[in-house]
Structures are given as C-alpha cells and as structure tokens.
C-alpha cells in the first residue's frame, strides 16, 4: 500500500478539520496538512510535495481551478480531488481537462469521499504491479480513474469498484479475514469493510462464521465460498 501525504486547501477551518479527521482514519494516510488559501497552498506544495491535494475552488485569494491549471502545466506528480460548491459546467469541464482525479460537490458525502480514496489506493496498487501492462490492466486503470458508475440496481452504500476490490482480497477459501483485517488491508474504515463483507456474505460470495476465543469478544470471520464473482445486472 502506498501511504499518502495529503494537503487540504480549504478556507473554512472547521470543514477542513472535518475532512482531515475523516481522512486520517484511512490506513493509506501518512500525514495531513491544512492550508487556508492559495498562497499557503502553493508554499506547502513546494515544501512538502504532497501525494494528494484536496482542493476547494472558492478561496480568499483566488480560485482553486487556477492552482489546478498551474499543477497541470508543471506536470504535478500527485493527484487532486476537488471538494467544492462550484457546480458550473465550465469549472467542472476545466477540472476534467486538467486531470483532476475526482470532483465532489459540497456538502460532501463522506461515503462518496471514501469511495474516491479507495479507488486511488487501488490505482496505486495496479500501477505497482508491473512495468509493462496488458490491455485489461490498462482498462482497469482507466476505469478506476474515471469511476465506473453504479448500476441502477446497486444497493445503497455499495459501490461497484469498492466491491470488486473487496472481492479481490479473497483468493483462498482456507484464509479467513475479519472486518478489521480487510479494513487494514484495503485502507477502508471498519464500518465500510463490514458493510461490504456482509453484502458479500448475503450474496453467498463469502461465508461468515463466528469464532469464539478464550479472551475477548467473539469474532466474525469471512472466507471465500464460491469461485465466482457477484454480478449485478439491470
């Protein structure tokens, strides 16, 4: 897993701190810095070289899209996620042209932000697998970056890409994982990991059993139960 140094550029301090507290719960997070305007943001980018920037558009000394344009021109090595109230098509289109990883509208859904962070972690894992890639690996990288849209019958709280990542963690029916194990392995919150594991168990992709230890609370262990993958259809 790649551990990320993250810069949040947001002028509403309580909101920036909420973002930071949420992000810190993910195992992929190493360090989080806060900047309240573009000037501070540029200085911290130069000094700290963050792997990920969480960027607002409306800032006291300019627009976040201007910073994104600068980063694109300078071939910034990391990723940018917009979290902003800017819903006009011009800003959204320019952000896409500049290579923004994702664009989230305020008020932000933290479930949605978590999906974005999981996709980013997945992209990094794919990039580290090999120097030369096959067509299916290229397709996987593009789909991860662009976000596959959930199908109409996708259950609430279940994202197709996150579901695939959770499924991919199970390859041997002899090895069992707890929700905490999967959360650490994939950089999810424990609540999210449990939600996906319970869904997989309900769909009989996984089997769940209760293990009673000598000390402490009993643990729910999940193991691969079928060789196939859940297919959600229209």
């Amino acid at each position: 897993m790649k551990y990320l140094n993250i810069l949040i550029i947001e002028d509403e301090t309580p909101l920036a701190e909420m973002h930071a507290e949420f992000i810190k719960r993910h195992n992929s997070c190493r360090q989080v810095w806060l900047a309240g305007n573009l000037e501070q943001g540029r200085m911290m980018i130069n000094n700290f070289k963050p792997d990920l920037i969480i960027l607002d558009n409306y800032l006291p000394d300019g627009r976040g899209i201007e910073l994104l344009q600068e980063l694109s021109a300078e071939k910034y090595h990391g990723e940018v996620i917009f979290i902003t109230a800017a819903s006009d098509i011009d800003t959204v289109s320019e952000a896409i042209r500049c290579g923004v990883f994702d664009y989230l509208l305020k008020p932000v859904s933290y479930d949605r932000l978590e999906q974005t962070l999981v996709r980013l972690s997945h992209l990094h894992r794919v990039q580290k697998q090999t120097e030369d890639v096959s067509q299916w690996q290229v397709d996987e990288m593009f789909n991860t970056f662009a976000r596959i849209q959930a199908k109409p019958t996708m259950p609430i709280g279940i994202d197709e890409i996150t579901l695939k990542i959770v499924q991919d963690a199970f390859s041997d029916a002899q090895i069992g994982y707890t929700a905490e194990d999967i959360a650490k392995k994939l950089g999810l919150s424990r609540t999210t990991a449990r939600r996906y594991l319970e869904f997989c168990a309900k769909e009989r992709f996984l089997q769940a059993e209760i293990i009673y230890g000598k000390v402490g609370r009993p643990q729910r262990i999940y193991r691969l139960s079928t060789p196939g993958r859940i297919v959600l259809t229209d």
Side-chain angles (χ1 to χ4, degrees), residues 7-204:
L7 172 62
I8 299 173
I9 305 178
E10 166 64 63
D11 65 315
E12 297 181 42
T13 301
L15 183 58
E17 291 175 346
M18 286 177 59
H19 292 347
E21 286 304 310
F22 176 81
I23 291 170
K24 287 176 182 177
R25 294 202 296 265
H26 286 260
N27 292 333
S28 60
C29 174
R30 174 184 288 123
Q31 177 72 48
V32 179
W33 301 286
L34 303 181
N37 55 46
L38 289 177
E39 181 181 2
Q40 292 177 358
R42 290 187 180 98
M43 178 186 66
M44 297 177 83
I45 291 170
N46 290 332
N47 290 340
F48 301 132
K49 304 295 188 296
D51 303 297
L52 173 65
I53 299 172
I54 306 292
L55 180 61
D56 187 17
N57 191 48
Y58 301 122
L59 294 160
D61 53 348
R63 295 288 183 263
I65 195 68
E66 299 167 0
L67 176 59
L68 180 61
Q69 290 167 337
E70 295 170 13
L71 295 172
S72 177
E74 296 168 0
K75 301 188 184 304
Y76 165 64
H77 74 281
E79 305 294 348
V80 178
I81 298 171
F82 252 78
I83 298 182
T84 178
S87 59
D88 61 285
I89 190 62
D90 289 340
T91 301
V92 176
S93 298
E94 180 61 16
I96 293 172
R97 280 193 292 269
C98 291
V100 70
F101 185 80
D102 209 347
Y103 198 110
L104 282 65
L105 291 174
K106 292 180 178 179
V108 66
S109 162
Y110 283 109
D111 282 345
R112 178 67 173 78
L113 177 57
E114 182 166 41
Q115 292 170 9
T116 299
L117 296 174
V118 169
R119 288 191 298 110
L120 182 58
S121 295
H122 182 57
L123 178 62
H124 289 155
R125 284 195 294 272
V126 174
Q127 289 173 331
K128 291 178 64 176
Q129 287 175 356
T130 180
E131 293 183 3
D132 297 317
V133 296
S134 62
Q135 182 62 56
W136 75 264
Q137 287 172 315
V138 172
D139 293 341
E140 186 174 17
M141 290 175 67
F142 269 91
N143 288 336
T144 300
F145 195 90
R147 185 176 190 266
I148 299 172
Q149 295 298 319
K151 296 182 180 181
T153 54
M154 185 72 71
I156 295 174
I158 301 295
D159 173 81
E160 188 169 1
I161 290 179
T162 308
L163 176 60
K164 179 181 182 300
I165 294 169
V166 171
Q167 290 175 322
D168 286 345
F170 291 85
S171 58
D172 186 340
Q174 301 302 313
I175 300 177
Y177 298 101
T178 65
E180 185 175 4
D181 292 334
I182 293 299
K184 291 180 179 179
K185 184 180 180 70
L186 302 180
L188 298 170
S189 69
R190 190 181 305 178
T191 300
T192 297
R194 185 177 296 110
R195 180 168 68 245
Y196 280 86
L197 291 169
E198 286 297 315
F199 175 73
C200 288
K202 178 182 177 183
E203 296 296 322
R204 298 183 180 178

